[in-house]
Amino acid sequence: RGMSSMSSSSAIRLVQITDTHLLQDPSYVSRHGIRAFESLREVLWLSCSELGGDSHLDGDSSPSFDFLIHTGDVSGDDSSSSYELLASLIKVKASQLESLSKQQEQQALVENPHRPVVVITPGNHDVVSYESLQEVAHTHKWTIPPKASFRLLNPHKIKNIRDGDDDGDGPWRILIIDTAKHDANGDAVHGAVSHEAIEAMRSVLSEDTHARNPSRRFLVVMHHPPIPPGNERSVWNKQCLANADEFLNSLPPPPENATHSVRYILLHGHTHSLYTRVGTDDGLPAWCAQRSCPSTCHQYLEDAETFTCDRGALPAYQQITLHADGMCTMRVRRLDELSERAQTGAYVTAEEDSLDANSLMAAFAKASEVQQSGSPVTHFRV
């Protein structure tokens, strides 16, 4: 795998969390036996500690990652306070997450320009409380897409401005899309991309794709997946993106002189599970790859005919690195038993996928399990 000729500091580092399902009462235990607030706190602590020792999401030095991406279903009860709970955790140093009480965490709302850029795209559980999400996002300077629309970000430019240097531009763009069904008033589990958004997005992507930069790649951030997990009887078959074909057809193929065969990596939440689809899998275009992220709370079985909790899968987050040579590496990190962190610091590691620039389909076809540093890691080779 070729590495970038640019410095490692030019790589864009992201943390993805999803489906936090925070409740107005942070002490509430769900029917799955998980306190969503405590579970999220553990996951954020893990992400900070692994990506920089005593690093933090908010403080007086550069963060250990550039973007914190939440792919929807922030709330679990439509409460405005659930979004403030998320804000309270984002603004607390990792070292404090171990010792502060919830009340102290709520008071630790100190603005700092060095914190990661927070990007949130709404899920179906954020529809009823969408105005609350907008208000909290505005207060805390989070980036969200316009309602039922999309937003295109240049992560290289954002990183350069925040870091106070000029490393030039890079191949990546981040496209954040609102797939929530706002007209269903919270009654729809499935999602859709509005027709107006699709037409506008097609125009924007066509202009960018076929213009100056044949190495252009897009990280597409959304809540609902176009291609569901599981088999043909899975409950998820009717709970994903209702107009998936229309959406996928709006993503222009790469030009003939493109440096990468895979143009779009579709990053999503919603399913509370980890799975990957690549090129021609179940109708996915050859120039697309699709990647989910486990929830920070309970997980679901992919093949079940009803929503069924997967009690063998632990809460997790996803590390993502967008390299200057166009390669993308993704790694899911799961918690060990929640009660063991303070005593042992032990965690379970899982699935590292290197999404290489040129032959992603071949990479996944030739996946092989290897051992690295005592942890099970999956490498996808070309």
Side-chain angles (χ1 to χ4, degrees), residues 18-19 70-75 78 83 120-130 133 177-182 186 188-191 222-224 270:
T18 194
D19 296 270
H70 193 310
T71 43
D73 280 1
V74 176
S75 180
D78 305 325
Y83 301 100
I120 297 180
T121 187
N124 46 289
H125 282 280
D126 300 311
V127 169
V128 174
S129 51
Y130 183 74
L133 171 58
I177 305 174
D178 182 357
T179 61
K181 291 279 290 179
H182 293 275
V189 177
H190 68 276
M222 56 208 305
H223 179 67
H224 296 86
H270 191 54

PDB file of all heavy atoms in Angstrom, residues 18-19 70-75 78 83 120-130 133 177-182 186 188-191 222-224 270:
ATOM      1  N   THR A  18     -22.106   6.913  16.550  1.00  0.00           N
ATOM      2  CA  THR A  18     -23.441   6.894  15.967  1.00  0.00           C
ATOM      3  C   THR A  18     -24.445   6.272  16.915  1.00  0.00           C
ATOM      4  O   THR A  18     -24.082   5.510  17.822  1.00  0.00           O
ATOM      5  CB  THR A  18     -23.431   6.140  14.617  1.00  0.00           C
ATOM      6  OG1 THR A  18     -24.641   6.406  13.909  1.00  0.00           O
ATOM      7  CG2 THR A  18     -23.290   4.638  14.808  1.00  0.00           C
ATOM      8  N   ASP A  19     -25.711   6.620  16.704  1.00  0.00           N
ATOM      9  CA  ASP A  19     -26.832   6.012  17.412  1.00  0.00           C
ATOM     10  C   ASP A  19     -26.600   5.985  18.917  1.00  0.00           C
ATOM     11  O   ASP A  19     -26.649   4.940  19.562  1.00  0.00           O
ATOM     12  CB  ASP A  19     -27.090   4.604  16.859  1.00  0.00           C
ATOM     13  CG  ASP A  19     -27.524   4.641  15.399  1.00  0.00           C
ATOM     14  OD1 ASP A  19     -28.734   4.731  15.150  1.00  0.00           O
ATOM     15  OD2 ASP A  19     -26.638   4.607  14.517  1.00  0.00           O
ATOM     16  N   HIS A  70     -20.889  12.406  14.027  1.00  0.00           N
ATOM     17  CA  HIS A  70     -22.006  11.651  14.609  1.00  0.00           C
ATOM     18  C   HIS A  70     -23.014  11.409  13.493  1.00  0.00           C
ATOM     19  O   HIS A  70     -23.575  12.343  12.934  1.00  0.00           O
ATOM     20  CB  HIS A  70     -22.653  12.455  15.734  1.00  0.00           C
ATOM     21  CG  HIS A  70     -23.595  11.667  16.600  1.00  0.00           C
ATOM     22  ND1 HIS A  70     -24.604  10.876  16.073  1.00  0.00           N
ATOM     23  CD2 HIS A  70     -23.695  11.540  17.950  1.00  0.00           C
ATOM     24  CE1 HIS A  70     -25.278  10.304  17.064  1.00  0.00           C
ATOM     25  NE2 HIS A  70     -24.734  10.688  18.203  1.00  0.00           N
ATOM     26  N   THR A  71     -23.234  10.130  13.165  1.00  0.00           N
ATOM     27  CA  THR A  71     -24.101   9.805  12.033  1.00  0.00           C
ATOM     28  C   THR A  71     -25.543   9.514  12.458  1.00  0.00           C
ATOM     29  O   THR A  71     -26.208   8.647  11.912  1.00  0.00           O
ATOM     30  CB  THR A  71     -23.527   8.636  11.208  1.00  0.00           C
ATOM     31  OG1 THR A  71     -23.042   7.615  12.082  1.00  0.00           O
ATOM     32  CG2 THR A  71     -22.393   9.096  10.320  1.00  0.00           C
ATOM     33  N   GLY A  72     -26.043  10.288  13.410  1.00  0.00           N
ATOM     34  CA  GLY A  72     -27.476  10.331  13.639  1.00  0.00           C
ATOM     35  C   GLY A  72     -28.028   9.488  14.768  1.00  0.00           C
ATOM     36  O   GLY A  72     -27.368   8.611  15.315  1.00  0.00           O
ATOM     37  N   ASP A  73     -29.287   9.785  15.102  1.00  0.00           N
ATOM     38  CA  ASP A  73     -29.961   9.255  16.284  1.00  0.00           C
ATOM     39  C   ASP A  73     -29.199   9.650  17.540  1.00  0.00           C
ATOM     40  O   ASP A  73     -28.836   8.812  18.376  1.00  0.00           O
ATOM     41  CB  ASP A  73     -30.148   7.732  16.207  1.00  0.00           C
ATOM     42  CG  ASP A  73     -31.335   7.339  15.334  1.00  0.00           C
ATOM     43  OD1 ASP A  73     -31.987   8.236  14.782  1.00  0.00           O
ATOM     44  OD2 ASP A  73     -31.603   6.130  15.214  1.00  0.00           O
ATOM     45  N   VAL A  74     -28.970  10.956  17.648  1.00  0.00           N
ATOM     46  CA  VAL A  74     -28.364  11.490  18.875  1.00  0.00           C
ATOM     47  C   VAL A  74     -29.292  11.208  20.053  1.00  0.00           C
ATOM     48  O   VAL A  74     -28.880  10.722  21.096  1.00  0.00           O
ATOM     49  CB  VAL A  74     -28.120  13.011  18.753  1.00  0.00           C
ATOM     50  CG1 VAL A  74     -27.592  13.570  20.076  1.00  0.00           C
ATOM     51  CG2 VAL A  74     -27.159  13.305  17.625  1.00  0.00           C
ATOM     52  N   SER A  75     -30.567  11.513  19.866  1.00  0.00           N
ATOM     53  CA  SER A  75     -31.551  11.389  20.944  1.00  0.00           C
ATOM     54  C   SER A  75     -32.263  10.048  20.906  1.00  0.00           C
ATOM     55  O   SER A  75     -32.406   9.432  19.846  1.00  0.00           O
ATOM     56  CB  SER A  75     -32.591  12.520  20.824  1.00  0.00           C
ATOM     57  OG  SER A  75     -33.545  12.429  21.860  1.00  0.00           O
ATOM     58  N   ASP A  78     -36.508  12.154  22.103  1.00  0.00           N
ATOM     59  CA  ASP A  78     -36.983  13.422  21.528  1.00  0.00           C
ATOM     60  C   ASP A  78     -36.795  14.613  22.463  1.00  0.00           C
ATOM     61  O   ASP A  78     -37.422  15.664  22.270  1.00  0.00           O
ATOM     62  CB  ASP A  78     -38.473  13.341  21.142  1.00  0.00           C
ATOM     63  CG  ASP A  78     -38.770  12.185  20.211  1.00  0.00           C
ATOM     64  OD1 ASP A  78     -37.910  11.887  19.367  1.00  0.00           O
ATOM     65  OD2 ASP A  78     -39.852  11.583  20.326  1.00  0.00           O
ATOM     66  N   TYR A  83     -29.479  16.517  23.558  1.00  0.00           N
ATOM     67  CA  TYR A  83     -28.434  17.150  22.751  1.00  0.00           C
ATOM     68  C   TYR A  83     -27.453  17.921  23.634  1.00  0.00           C
ATOM     69  O   TYR A  83     -26.251  17.983  23.349  1.00  0.00           O
ATOM     70  CB  TYR A  83     -29.070  18.068  21.701  1.00  0.00           C
ATOM     71  CG  TYR A  83     -30.004  17.296  20.787  1.00  0.00           C
ATOM     72  CD1 TYR A  83     -31.377  17.334  20.987  1.00  0.00           C
ATOM     73  CD2 TYR A  83     -29.498  16.483  19.776  1.00  0.00           C
ATOM     74  CE1 TYR A  83     -32.238  16.603  20.178  1.00  0.00           C
ATOM     75  CE2 TYR A  83     -30.346  15.747  18.969  1.00  0.00           C
ATOM     76  CZ  TYR A  83     -31.714  15.802  19.175  1.00  0.00           C
ATOM     77  OH  TYR A  83     -32.552  15.057  18.383  1.00  0.00           O
ATOM     78  N   ILE A 120     -22.680  16.564  12.538  1.00  0.00           N
ATOM     79  CA  ILE A 120     -23.808  15.693  12.895  1.00  0.00           C
ATOM     80  C   ILE A 120     -24.815  15.688  11.752  1.00  0.00           C
ATOM     81  O   ILE A 120     -25.189  16.744  11.239  1.00  0.00           O
ATOM     82  CB  ILE A 120     -24.501  16.159  14.190  1.00  0.00           C
ATOM     83  CG1 ILE A 120     -23.525  16.081  15.363  1.00  0.00           C
ATOM     84  CG2 ILE A 120     -25.746  15.319  14.478  1.00  0.00           C
ATOM     85  CD1 ILE A 120     -24.108  16.508  16.686  1.00  0.00           C
ATOM     86  N   THR A 121     -25.228  14.500  11.354  1.00  0.00           N
ATOM     87  CA  THR A 121     -26.323  14.385  10.402  1.00  0.00           C
ATOM     88  C   THR A 121     -27.491  13.707  11.100  1.00  0.00           C
ATOM     89  O   THR A 121     -27.301  12.733  11.833  1.00  0.00           O
ATOM     90  CB  THR A 121     -25.887  13.605   9.143  1.00  0.00           C
ATOM     91  OG1 THR A 121     -26.925  13.639   8.169  1.00  0.00           O
ATOM     92  CG2 THR A 121     -25.535  12.172   9.469  1.00  0.00           C
ATOM     93  N   PRO A 122     -28.706  14.223  10.955  1.00  0.00           N
ATOM     94  CA  PRO A 122     -29.840  13.720  11.752  1.00  0.00           C
ATOM     95  C   PRO A 122     -30.236  12.294  11.388  1.00  0.00           C
ATOM     96  O   PRO A 122     -30.104  11.860  10.239  1.00  0.00           O
ATOM     97  CB  PRO A 122     -30.979  14.693  11.400  1.00  0.00           C
ATOM     98  CG  PRO A 122     -30.318  15.871  10.767  1.00  0.00           C
ATOM     99  CD  PRO A 122     -29.084  15.360  10.112  1.00  0.00           C
ATOM    100  N   GLY A 123     -30.751  11.580  12.395  1.00  0.00           N
ATOM    101  CA  GLY A 123     -31.336  10.270  12.173  1.00  0.00           C
ATOM    102  C   GLY A 123     -32.842  10.328  12.344  1.00  0.00           C
ATOM    103  O   GLY A 123     -33.413  11.389  12.632  1.00  0.00           O
ATOM    104  N   ASN A 124     -33.505   9.205  12.202  1.00  0.00           N
ATOM    105  CA  ASN A 124     -34.958   9.176  12.329  1.00  0.00           C
ATOM    106  C   ASN A 124     -35.413   9.539  13.740  1.00  0.00           C
ATOM    107  O   ASN A 124     -36.493  10.092  13.932  1.00  0.00           O
ATOM    108  CB  ASN A 124     -35.510   7.807  11.937  1.00  0.00           C
ATOM    109  CG  ASN A 124     -34.749   6.645  12.553  1.00  0.00           C
ATOM    110  OD1 ASN A 124     -33.607   6.392  12.162  1.00  0.00           O
ATOM    111  ND2 ASN A 124     -35.349   5.958  13.505  1.00  0.00           N
ATOM    112  N   HIS A 125     -34.564   9.294  14.745  1.00  0.00           N
ATOM    113  CA  HIS A 125     -34.919   9.645  16.119  1.00  0.00           C
ATOM    114  C   HIS A 125     -34.674  11.127  16.427  1.00  0.00           C
ATOM    115  O   HIS A 125     -34.970  11.572  17.540  1.00  0.00           O
ATOM    116  CB  HIS A 125     -34.145   8.774  17.111  1.00  0.00           C
ATOM    117  CG  HIS A 125     -34.703   7.390  17.258  1.00  0.00           C
ATOM    118  ND1 HIS A 125     -35.797   7.106  18.043  1.00  0.00           N
ATOM    119  CD2 HIS A 125     -34.326   6.216  16.690  1.00  0.00           C
ATOM    120  CE1 HIS A 125     -36.069   5.807  17.968  1.00  0.00           C
ATOM    121  NE2 HIS A 125     -35.189   5.247  17.147  1.00  0.00           N
ATOM    122  N   ASP A 126     -34.140  11.855  15.469  1.00  0.00           N
ATOM    123  CA  ASP A 126     -33.895  13.287  15.672  1.00  0.00           C
ATOM    124  C   ASP A 126     -34.927  14.157  14.958  1.00  0.00           C
ATOM    125  O   ASP A 126     -34.801  15.387  14.961  1.00  0.00           O
ATOM    126  CB  ASP A 126     -32.488  13.650  15.167  1.00  0.00           C
ATOM    127  CG  ASP A 126     -31.400  12.890  15.897  1.00  0.00           C
ATOM    128  OD1 ASP A 126     -31.438  12.863  17.148  1.00  0.00           O
ATOM    129  OD2 ASP A 126     -30.523  12.312  15.220  1.00  0.00           O
ATOM    130  N   VAL A 127     -35.937  13.548  14.361  1.00  0.00           N
ATOM    131  CA  VAL A 127     -36.906  14.318  13.584  1.00  0.00           C
ATOM    132  C   VAL A 127     -37.801  15.162  14.479  1.00  0.00           C
ATOM    133  O   VAL A 127     -37.968  16.368  14.275  1.00  0.00           O
ATOM    134  CB  VAL A 127     -37.746  13.376  12.699  1.00  0.00           C
ATOM    135  CG1 VAL A 127     -38.935  14.127  12.096  1.00  0.00           C
ATOM    136  CG2 VAL A 127     -36.887  12.783  11.582  1.00  0.00           C
ATOM    137  N   VAL A 128     -38.392  14.539  15.499  1.00  0.00           N
ATOM    138  CA  VAL A 128     -39.321  15.263  16.376  1.00  0.00           C
ATOM    139  C   VAL A 128     -38.607  16.403  17.096  1.00  0.00           C
ATOM    140  O   VAL A 128     -39.159  17.497  17.283  1.00  0.00           O
ATOM    141  CB  VAL A 128     -39.976  14.302  17.384  1.00  0.00           C
ATOM    142  CG1 VAL A 128     -40.828  15.067  18.399  1.00  0.00           C
ATOM    143  CG2 VAL A 128     -40.839  13.272  16.645  1.00  0.00           C
ATOM    144  N   SER A 129     -37.381  16.171  17.486  1.00  0.00           N
ATOM    145  CA  SER A 129     -36.615  17.169  18.246  1.00  0.00           C
ATOM    146  C   SER A 129     -35.626  17.923  17.365  1.00  0.00           C
ATOM    147  O   SER A 129     -34.626  18.448  17.855  1.00  0.00           O
ATOM    148  CB  SER A 129     -35.863  16.477  19.387  1.00  0.00           C
ATOM    149  OG  SER A 129     -35.111  15.368  18.903  1.00  0.00           O
ATOM    150  N   TYR A 130     -35.917  18.016  16.061  1.00  0.00           N
ATOM    151  CA  TYR A 130     -34.965  18.607  15.121  1.00  0.00           C
ATOM    152  C   TYR A 130     -34.637  20.053  15.460  1.00  0.00           C
ATOM    153  O   TYR A 130     -33.486  20.482  15.344  1.00  0.00           O
ATOM    154  CB  TYR A 130     -35.502  18.507  13.694  1.00  0.00           C
ATOM    155  CG  TYR A 130     -34.545  19.040  12.655  1.00  0.00           C
ATOM    156  CD1 TYR A 130     -33.409  18.310  12.294  1.00  0.00           C
ATOM    157  CD2 TYR A 130     -34.751  20.269  12.043  1.00  0.00           C
ATOM    158  CE1 TYR A 130     -32.515  18.786  11.357  1.00  0.00           C
ATOM    159  CE2 TYR A 130     -33.858  20.763  11.100  1.00  0.00           C
ATOM    160  CZ  TYR A 130     -32.740  20.019  10.764  1.00  0.00           C
ATOM    161  OH  TYR A 130     -31.849  20.498   9.843  1.00  0.00           O
ATOM    162  N   LEU A 133     -32.031  20.130  18.059  1.00  0.00           N
ATOM    163  CA  LEU A 133     -30.721  19.829  17.486  1.00  0.00           C
ATOM    164  C   LEU A 133     -30.149  21.060  16.790  1.00  0.00           C
ATOM    165  O   LEU A 133     -28.960  21.387  16.954  1.00  0.00           O
ATOM    166  CB  LEU A 133     -30.840  18.676  16.484  1.00  0.00           C
ATOM    167  CG  LEU A 133     -29.595  18.383  15.625  1.00  0.00           C
ATOM    168  CD1 LEU A 133     -28.385  18.069  16.487  1.00  0.00           C
ATOM    169  CD2 LEU A 133     -29.871  17.249  14.641  1.00  0.00           C
ATOM    170  N   ILE A 177     -25.269  14.476   4.413  1.00  0.00           N
ATOM    171  CA  ILE A 177     -26.622  14.441   3.856  1.00  0.00           C
ATOM    172  C   ILE A 177     -27.632  14.166   4.957  1.00  0.00           C
ATOM    173  O   ILE A 177     -27.433  13.291   5.810  1.00  0.00           O
ATOM    174  CB  ILE A 177     -26.733  13.347   2.774  1.00  0.00           C
ATOM    175  CG1 ILE A 177     -25.668  13.533   1.693  1.00  0.00           C
ATOM    176  CG2 ILE A 177     -28.122  13.355   2.146  1.00  0.00           C
ATOM    177  CD1 ILE A 177     -25.640  12.412   0.675  1.00  0.00           C
ATOM    178  N   ASP A 178     -28.729  14.900   4.937  1.00  0.00           N
ATOM    179  CA  ASP A 178     -29.849  14.661   5.848  1.00  0.00           C
ATOM    180  C   ASP A 178     -30.779  13.647   5.185  1.00  0.00           C
ATOM    181  O   ASP A 178     -31.443  13.956   4.198  1.00  0.00           O
ATOM    182  CB  ASP A 178     -30.586  15.970   6.123  1.00  0.00           C
ATOM    183  CG  ASP A 178     -31.733  15.805   7.111  1.00  0.00           C
ATOM    184  OD1 ASP A 178     -32.003  14.666   7.540  1.00  0.00           O
ATOM    185  OD2 ASP A 178     -32.365  16.819   7.465  1.00  0.00           O
ATOM    186  N   THR A 179     -30.832  12.425   5.713  1.00  0.00           N
ATOM    187  CA  THR A 179     -31.694  11.379   5.156  1.00  0.00           C
ATOM    188  C   THR A 179     -32.950  11.144   5.988  1.00  0.00           C
ATOM    189  O   THR A 179     -33.731  10.240   5.699  1.00  0.00           O
ATOM    190  CB  THR A 179     -30.929  10.042   5.041  1.00  0.00           C
ATOM    191  OG1 THR A 179     -30.515   9.619   6.360  1.00  0.00           O
ATOM    192  CG2 THR A 179     -29.711  10.177   4.147  1.00  0.00           C
ATOM    193  N   ALA A 180     -33.155  11.950   7.024  1.00  0.00           N
ATOM    194  CA  ALA A 180     -34.320  11.763   7.906  1.00  0.00           C
ATOM    195  C   ALA A 180     -35.603  12.166   7.177  1.00  0.00           C
ATOM    196  O   ALA A 180     -35.630  13.115   6.398  1.00  0.00           O
ATOM    197  CB  ALA A 180     -34.158  12.587   9.177  1.00  0.00           C
ATOM    198  N   LYS A 181     -36.684  11.450   7.456  1.00  0.00           N
ATOM    199  CA  LYS A 181     -37.993  11.731   6.848  1.00  0.00           C
ATOM    200  C   LYS A 181     -38.722  12.757   7.715  1.00  0.00           C
ATOM    201  O   LYS A 181     -39.537  12.415   8.576  1.00  0.00           O
ATOM    202  CB  LYS A 181     -38.797  10.449   6.721  1.00  0.00           C
ATOM    203  CG  LYS A 181     -38.266   9.463   5.696  1.00  0.00           C
ATOM    204  CD  LYS A 181     -38.718   9.844   4.291  1.00  0.00           C
ATOM    205  CE  LYS A 181     -40.196   9.635   4.108  1.00  0.00           C
ATOM    206  NZ  LYS A 181     -40.649  10.009   2.768  1.00  0.00           N
ATOM    207  N   HIS A 182     -38.450  14.026   7.471  1.00  0.00           N
ATOM    208  CA  HIS A 182     -39.034  15.080   8.298  1.00  0.00           C
ATOM    209  C   HIS A 182     -40.545  15.190   8.115  1.00  0.00           C
ATOM    210  O   HIS A 182     -41.253  15.591   9.038  1.00  0.00           O
ATOM    211  CB  HIS A 182     -38.368  16.421   7.967  1.00  0.00           C
ATOM    212  CG  HIS A 182     -36.936  16.489   8.370  1.00  0.00           C
ATOM    213  ND1 HIS A 182     -36.523  16.838   9.638  1.00  0.00           N
ATOM    214  CD2 HIS A 182     -35.805  16.223   7.660  1.00  0.00           C
ATOM    215  CE1 HIS A 182     -35.198  16.807   9.700  1.00  0.00           C
ATOM    216  NE2 HIS A 182     -34.740  16.433   8.512  1.00  0.00           N
ATOM    217  N   GLY A 186     -41.487  11.749  12.670  1.00  0.00           N
ATOM    218  CA  GLY A 186     -40.886  10.775  13.569  1.00  0.00           C
ATOM    219  C   GLY A 186     -41.450   9.382  13.487  1.00  0.00           C
ATOM    220  O   GLY A 186     -41.010   8.483  14.203  1.00  0.00           O
ATOM    221  N   ALA A 188     -41.397   7.382  10.789  1.00  0.00           N
ATOM    222  CA  ALA A 188     -40.706   6.562   9.792  1.00  0.00           C
ATOM    223  C   ALA A 188     -39.332   6.150  10.304  1.00  0.00           C
ATOM    224  O   ALA A 188     -38.531   7.006  10.692  1.00  0.00           O
ATOM    225  CB  ALA A 188     -40.568   7.327   8.482  1.00  0.00           C
ATOM    226  N   VAL A 189     -39.063   4.845  10.309  1.00  0.00           N
ATOM    227  CA  VAL A 189     -37.733   4.356  10.654  1.00  0.00           C
ATOM    228  C   VAL A 189     -36.811   4.476   9.439  1.00  0.00           C
ATOM    229  O   VAL A 189     -35.627   4.768   9.573  1.00  0.00           O
ATOM    230  CB  VAL A 189     -37.804   2.900  11.146  1.00  0.00           C
ATOM    231  CG1 VAL A 189     -36.401   2.359  11.444  1.00  0.00           C
ATOM    232  CG2 VAL A 189     -38.677   2.795  12.385  1.00  0.00           C
ATOM    233  N   HIS A 190     -37.363   4.237   8.250  1.00  0.00           N
ATOM    234  CA  HIS A 190     -36.556   4.333   7.031  1.00  0.00           C
ATOM    235  C   HIS A 190     -36.261   5.795   6.716  1.00  0.00           C
ATOM    236  O   HIS A 190     -36.829   6.712   7.316  1.00  0.00           O
ATOM    237  CB  HIS A 190     -37.284   3.678   5.863  1.00  0.00           C
ATOM    238  CG  HIS A 190     -38.519   4.405   5.435  1.00  0.00           C
ATOM    239  ND1 HIS A 190     -39.734   4.233   6.047  1.00  0.00           N
ATOM    240  CD2 HIS A 190     -38.722   5.341   4.463  1.00  0.00           C
ATOM    241  CE1 HIS A 190     -40.642   5.002   5.475  1.00  0.00           C
ATOM    242  NE2 HIS A 190     -40.054   5.689   4.512  1.00  0.00           N
ATOM    243  N   GLY A 191     -35.385   6.013   5.770  1.00  0.00           N
ATOM    244  CA  GLY A 191     -35.005   7.367   5.381  1.00  0.00           C
ATOM    245  C   GLY A 191     -35.116   7.576   3.889  1.00  0.00           C
ATOM    246  O   GLY A 191     -35.495   6.660   3.134  1.00  0.00           O
ATOM    247  N   MET A 222     -23.998   9.997   6.224  1.00  0.00           N
ATOM    248  CA  MET A 222     -25.448   9.936   6.267  1.00  0.00           C
ATOM    249  C   MET A 222     -25.882   8.991   7.387  1.00  0.00           C
ATOM    250  O   MET A 222     -25.068   8.233   7.919  1.00  0.00           O
ATOM    251  CB  MET A 222     -25.988   9.456   4.914  1.00  0.00           C
ATOM    252  CG  MET A 222     -25.420   8.120   4.491  1.00  0.00           C
ATOM    253  SD  MET A 222     -25.340   7.857   2.689  1.00  0.00           S
ATOM    254  CE  MET A 222     -27.019   8.149   2.207  1.00  0.00           C
ATOM    255  N   HIS A 223     -27.163   9.045   7.737  1.00  0.00           N
ATOM    256  CA  HIS A 223     -27.641   8.141   8.786  1.00  0.00           C
ATOM    257  C   HIS A 223     -28.096   6.806   8.204  1.00  0.00           C
ATOM    258  O   HIS A 223     -27.695   5.746   8.679  1.00  0.00           O
ATOM    259  CB  HIS A 223     -28.793   8.767   9.557  1.00  0.00           C
ATOM    260  CG  HIS A 223     -29.334   7.872  10.646  1.00  0.00           C
ATOM    261  ND1 HIS A 223     -28.596   7.538  11.765  1.00  0.00           N
ATOM    262  CD2 HIS A 223     -30.527   7.220  10.770  1.00  0.00           C
ATOM    263  CE1 HIS A 223     -29.307   6.733  12.547  1.00  0.00           C
ATOM    264  NE2 HIS A 223     -30.479   6.513  11.956  1.00  0.00           N
ATOM    265  N   HIS A 224     -28.935   6.839   7.188  1.00  0.00           N
ATOM    266  CA  HIS A 224     -29.522   5.613   6.636  1.00  0.00           C
ATOM    267  C   HIS A 224     -28.638   5.033   5.534  1.00  0.00           C
ATOM    268  O   HIS A 224     -28.183   5.769   4.647  1.00  0.00           O
ATOM    269  CB  HIS A 224     -30.909   5.893   6.062  1.00  0.00           C
ATOM    270  CG  HIS A 224     -31.912   6.322   7.082  1.00  0.00           C
ATOM    271  ND1 HIS A 224     -32.058   7.641   7.471  1.00  0.00           N
ATOM    272  CD2 HIS A 224     -32.822   5.613   7.795  1.00  0.00           C
ATOM    273  CE1 HIS A 224     -33.028   7.717   8.377  1.00  0.00           C
ATOM    274  NE2 HIS A 224     -33.499   6.510   8.592  1.00  0.00           N
ATOM    275  N   HIS A 270     -27.348   3.855  11.931  1.00  0.00           N
ATOM    276  CA  HIS A 270     -28.715   3.328  11.850  1.00  0.00           C
ATOM    277  C   HIS A 270     -28.854   1.851  12.212  1.00  0.00           C
ATOM    278  O   HIS A 270     -29.771   1.480  12.950  1.00  0.00           O
ATOM    279  CB  HIS A 270     -29.307   3.579  10.464  1.00  0.00           C
ATOM    280  CG  HIS A 270     -30.772   3.305  10.356  1.00  0.00           C
ATOM    281  ND1 HIS A 270     -31.705   3.888  11.210  1.00  0.00           N
ATOM    282  CD2 HIS A 270     -31.487   2.525   9.494  1.00  0.00           C
ATOM    283  CE1 HIS A 270     -32.922   3.479  10.873  1.00  0.00           C
ATOM    284  NE2 HIS A 270     -32.817   2.654   9.837  1.00  0.00           N
TER     285      HIS A 270
END
